[in-house]
Amino acid sequence: MRVLLVSSAFNSMTQRFFVELSDAGYEVAVEIYGGDEQRLEEAFAAFRPDLTIAPFLTRAIPERIWREHLTLIVHPGVEGDRGASALDWAIQERWDQWGVTLLQAEAEMDAGPIWATRNFPLRQAPKSSVYRREAIDAAVSCLWEALANVQTPGFRPRPLDYATPTALGCLRPSMKQADRRIDWGRCETAEVLARIHAADGVPGVLDEIYGLPVYLHAACAEPELRGAPGAVIARSESGAICRATVDGAVWIGRLKPKLEGGGGIKRSAVDTLGDLIPGDVLVAATRLAHPNPVEEVRLDRIGDIVHLHFDFHNGAMSTVQCRRLQAAFRQAAESSAKVIVLAGGDDLFSNGIHLNEIEASADPAAESWANIVAMDDLIRETITATDTIVIAALGRNAGAGGAILPLAADFVLARQSVVLNPHYRNMGWLYGSEYWTYLLPRRVGWERAVQLTEACLPISGRRAAEIGLVDEAISGDTEQFVRAVQAFAAAQAERHAALTDRKRLQRAEDEERRPLDAYRGQEMTQMYRNFYQPDAPYHRARSAFVQKRPACWSPLSVRMLTALKRLETNGSPDLVREASV
């Protein structure tokens, strides 16, 4: 089947659909729809899809299109839920369960015939976390059911009927800031958290701190500290602030200033507030349940195995965070532990350098350089840790330098369902560093390494194992993955002496063949041009990304796909490769 994914962005849901369908042998194209109806019609005419799926839409598909082409919409709500703020209302109202519904596009928004639906227990967690985990998994389950039904003769989707007991939802308005407002003199901790969780990612909860209008993001409960409701009573070394509630306190990790005309950049709360924070505010080092915005890097030891967790907001790693992670890795490597497990974060493994911090800096080129130098130093530390076995455990998605980082380990394990983006070029033609010219080819060969970095397409953990990018793709949920990683790590600890002997020998051979400094020097020469060349496209692309402006292209778009097919038919393989680049 030919499946066209129409989406407002190539987000995590759309990417997961893309890799699932591609792995299963479907012919897939992606079209980013920003409101240009003529372009969308041209895409349909060129690709001629058997089925259209919209994993993520912020505007309706034109009627003349869904009337001519079977189009299924992913709605992140239980059966009967309608409206643009589905997850927001569910999290803020603290529902016990929620769901995803796959329905057919019709004139009445979210009210078309139902092709599949899945419910799940609703964690009290940030919206982005629930979306990345439960919502996407449920949507993929709906996808496979719908695909089976599409190919079943005589199948008819059932109409939405609010009289049925499964129709738990209703039509809800779009949530406004007035609905999200926190009354610090009345709201208890649980309600404060629910409101911030419901607005996580976009748009945040509008509030005011020290007279500065800001949007609140990334919150968790504080178990001990107390103070006057609404007051900032502490800050953390990682940049979070603690605000008292009527019955406790909450940590807030990220703030985004509200500026006239927009344009504020989400950063750590302490960096956003700066000198507005009084000097006598306590610097607290509280160990909290995870995930939390306070303790970003932590070491957990089980026997001879150290698990290194680095839970950075949105997976982004600033210069300071890279240095902190490098210090933690060195501490683990210098201990008596035989194995270090790079565990990443609870929602994302890593996404490489911190574009928000770079955009907010006084000199983005200089900060870009400092950030990539710190990232390279971290990876070099990992590569050269020859007395310790290092295992990367990719339980969550990774991108850019964050997808290269695990390749510095001796073994890489991934969940089958994770999505990896081991490339840089869609960020303004960045060449990339992190020793990728050493780490990628030694796993997949030079030709495939170039293909991965230049095609700018995601791949699944399943596919990554097939091509040798990772050593093993593990099926099952998070708990099953954690158990599998622990068992694998324990087995490698038993082989520590033999493995480290082999590792030292291989490192010496690799260094003699070509020193690590040579790989880094060549990469950084290219990166210097990316950062410092006048009018470098990287700076425009980074700014667009940070400010949430639409992307100018979509990977494997219909236009690109049809051009490649014409070249494949009429041209040479070299022309096809050149066009894909």
Tab-separated table of all heavy atoms in Angstrom, residues 87-105:
chain	number	residue	atom	x	y	z
A	87	LEU	N	-5.550	16.276	25.471
A	87	LEU	CA	-4.680	15.866	26.570
A	87	LEU	C	-4.622	16.918	27.670
A	87	LEU	O	-4.511	16.585	28.854
A	87	LEU	CB	-3.266	15.602	26.042
A	87	LEU	CG	-2.897	14.151	25.728
A	87	LEU	CD1	-1.493	14.078	25.139
A	87	LEU	CD2	-2.992	13.271	26.962
A	88	ASP	N	-4.697	18.182	27.299
A	88	ASP	CA	-4.629	19.264	28.286
A	88	ASP	C	-5.735	19.128	29.326
A	88	ASP	O	-5.484	19.166	30.547
A	88	ASP	CB	-4.739	20.633	27.593
A	88	ASP	CG	-3.716	20.830	26.498
A	88	ASP	OD1	-3.700	20.007	25.557
A	88	ASP	OD2	-2.941	21.797	26.562
A	89	TRP	N	-6.967	18.964	28.853
A	89	TRP	CA	-8.092	18.841	29.783
A	89	TRP	C	-7.974	17.577	30.627
A	89	TRP	O	-8.235	17.595	31.838
A	89	TRP	CB	-9.415	18.834	29.024
A	89	TRP	CG	-9.841	20.169	28.482
A	89	TRP	CD1	-9.916	20.535	27.178
A	89	TRP	CD2	-10.230	21.320	29.239
A	89	TRP	NE1	-10.334	21.842	27.066
A	89	TRP	CE2	-10.542	22.351	28.322
A	89	TRP	CE3	-10.357	21.586	30.611
A	89	TRP	CZ2	-10.959	23.614	28.714
A	89	TRP	CZ3	-10.774	22.856	31.007
A	89	TRP	CH2	-11.071	23.845	30.070
A	90	ALA	N	-7.599	16.479	30.014
A	90	ALA	CA	-7.518	15.208	30.741
A	90	ALA	C	-6.495	15.278	31.866
A	90	ALA	O	-6.751	14.821	32.993
A	90	ALA	CB	-7.169	14.078	29.777
A	91	ILE	N	-5.328	15.869	31.595
A	91	ILE	CA	-4.280	15.951	32.614
A	91	ILE	C	-4.650	16.958	33.695
A	91	ILE	O	-4.479	16.697	34.887
A	91	ILE	CB	-2.933	16.310	31.952
A	91	ILE	CG1	-2.467	15.151	31.065
A	91	ILE	CG2	-1.881	16.631	33.005
A	91	ILE	CD1	-1.265	15.478	30.212
A	92	GLN	N	-5.168	18.107	33.289
A	92	GLN	CA	-5.505	19.127	34.286
A	92	GLN	C	-6.647	18.672	35.185
A	92	GLN	O	-6.669	18.987	36.390
A	92	GLN	CB	-5.861	20.449	33.590
A	92	GLN	CG	-6.146	21.584	34.566
A	92	GLN	CD	-5.992	22.956	33.947
A	92	GLN	OE1	-4.981	23.231	33.288
A	92	GLN	NE2	-6.972	23.822	34.136
A	93	GLU	N	-7.594	17.926	34.626
A	93	GLU	CA	-8.716	17.428	35.431
A	93	GLU	C	-8.392	16.112	36.126
A	93	GLU	O	-9.224	15.543	36.814
A	93	GLU	CB	-9.948	17.279	34.541
A	93	GLU	CG	-10.470	18.617	34.024
A	93	GLU	CD	-11.638	18.466	33.059
A	93	GLU	OE1	-11.934	17.315	32.643
A	93	GLU	OE2	-12.254	19.492	32.730
A	94	ARG	N	-7.193	15.612	35.909
A	94	ARG	CA	-6.674	14.411	36.574
A	94	ARG	C	-7.544	13.181	36.347
A	94	ARG	O	-7.940	12.488	37.287
A	94	ARG	CB	-6.461	14.682	38.070
A	94	ARG	CG	-5.279	15.593	38.343
A	94	ARG	CD	-5.130	15.930	39.798
A	94	ARG	NE	-5.899	17.121	40.143
A	94	ARG	CZ	-6.049	17.595	41.372
A	94	ARG	NH1	-5.468	16.971	42.384
A	94	ARG	NH2	-6.757	18.680	41.596
A	95	TRP	N	-7.812	12.890	35.071
A	95	TRP	CA	-8.530	11.674	34.724
A	95	TRP	C	-7.660	10.463	35.077
A	95	TRP	O	-6.432	10.514	35.026
A	95	TRP	CB	-8.834	11.647	33.227
A	95	TRP	CG	-9.960	12.547	32.805
A	95	TRP	CD1	-10.088	13.878	33.054
A	95	TRP	CD2	-11.101	12.168	32.033
A	95	TRP	NE1	-11.231	14.366	32.490
A	95	TRP	CE2	-11.879	13.334	31.854
A	95	TRP	CE3	-11.531	10.982	31.465
A	95	TRP	CZ2	-13.069	13.337	31.144
A	95	TRP	CZ3	-12.711	10.972	30.749
A	95	TRP	CH2	-13.478	12.130	30.601
A	96	ASP	N	-8.301	9.369	35.400
A	96	ASP	CA	-7.575	8.140	35.719
A	96	ASP	C	-7.104	7.423	34.458
A	96	ASP	O	-6.093	6.728	34.478
A	96	ASP	CB	-8.464	7.176	36.530
A	96	ASP	CG	-8.770	7.713	37.913
A	96	ASP	OD1	-7.910	8.429	38.462
A	96	ASP	OD2	-9.867	7.429	38.443
A	97	GLN	N	-7.856	7.546	33.379
A	97	GLN	CA	-7.459	6.921	32.126
A	97	GLN	C	-7.758	7.873	30.967
A	97	GLN	O	-8.601	8.759	31.070
A	97	GLN	CB	-8.178	5.588	31.910
A	97	GLN	CG	-9.678	5.699	31.702
A	97	GLN	CD	-10.291	4.376	31.249
A	97	GLN	OE1	-9.593	3.470	30.808
A	97	GLN	NE2	-11.604	4.274	31.355
A	98	TRP	N	-7.034	7.655	29.898
A	98	TRP	CA	-7.238	8.458	28.696
A	98	TRP	C	-7.020	7.543	27.502
A	98	TRP	O	-6.928	6.320	27.673
A	98	TRP	CB	-6.301	9.664	28.668
A	98	TRP	CG	-6.764	10.772	27.748
A	98	TRP	CD1	-6.079	11.315	26.713
A	98	TRP	CD2	-8.023	11.456	27.798
A	98	TRP	NE1	-6.820	12.300	26.103
A	98	TRP	CE2	-8.025	12.405	26.754
A	98	TRP	CE3	-9.142	11.352	28.611
A	98	TRP	CZ2	-9.103	13.251	26.498
A	98	TRP	CZ3	-10.211	12.198	28.359
A	98	TRP	CH2	-10.187	13.124	27.316
A	99	GLY	N	-6.962	8.085	26.308
A	99	GLY	CA	-6.830	7.204	25.165
A	99	GLY	C	-6.498	7.941	23.889
A	99	GLY	O	-6.247	9.152	23.874
A	100	VAL	N	-6.485	7.168	22.813
A	100	VAL	CA	-6.257	7.679	21.464
A	100	VAL	C	-7.322	7.076	20.569
A	100	VAL	O	-7.657	5.894	20.697
A	100	VAL	CB	-4.858	7.298	20.950
A	100	VAL	CG1	-4.718	7.597	19.459
A	100	VAL	CG2	-3.781	8.046	21.730
A	101	THR	N	-7.859	7.884	19.665
A	101	THR	CA	-8.890	7.427	18.731
A	101	THR	C	-8.439	7.724	17.310
A	101	THR	O	-7.954	8.827	17.021
A	101	THR	CB	-10.231	8.123	19.012
A	101	THR	OG1	-10.591	7.921	20.382
A	101	THR	CG2	-11.324	7.565	18.118
A	102	LEU	N	-8.577	6.734	16.452
A	102	LEU	CA	-8.272	6.899	15.035
A	102	LEU	C	-9.598	6.969	14.293
A	102	LEU	O	-10.357	5.997	14.277
A	102	LEU	CB	-7.432	5.729	14.523
A	102	LEU	CG	-6.802	5.871	13.133
A	102	LEU	CD1	-5.878	7.082	13.072
A	102	LEU	CD2	-6.038	4.617	12.766
A	103	LEU	N	-9.893	8.127	13.735
A	103	LEU	CA	-11.203	8.338	13.127
A	103	LEU	C	-11.089	8.886	11.723
A	103	LEU	O	-10.053	9.422	11.329
A	103	LEU	CB	-12.048	9.265	14.013
A	103	LEU	CG	-11.381	10.538	14.547
A	103	LEU	CD1	-11.524	11.675	13.575
A	103	LEU	CD2	-11.973	10.920	15.886
A	104	GLN	N	-12.145	8.748	10.981
A	104	GLN	CA	-12.149	9.170	9.586
A	104	GLN	C	-12.460	10.649	9.484
A	104	GLN	O	-13.332	11.168	10.197
A	104	GLN	CB	-13.187	8.360	8.809
A	104	GLN	CG	-13.108	8.518	7.295
A	104	GLN	CD	-13.930	7.466	6.578
A	104	GLN	OE1	-14.068	6.343	7.055
A	104	GLN	NE2	-14.482	7.820	5.422
A	105	ALA	N	-11.742	11.337	8.614
A	105	ALA	CA	-11.964	12.766	8.435
A	105	ALA	C	-13.338	13.009	7.828
A	105	ALA	O	-13.706	12.404	6.820
A	105	ALA	CB	-10.888	13.355	7.530
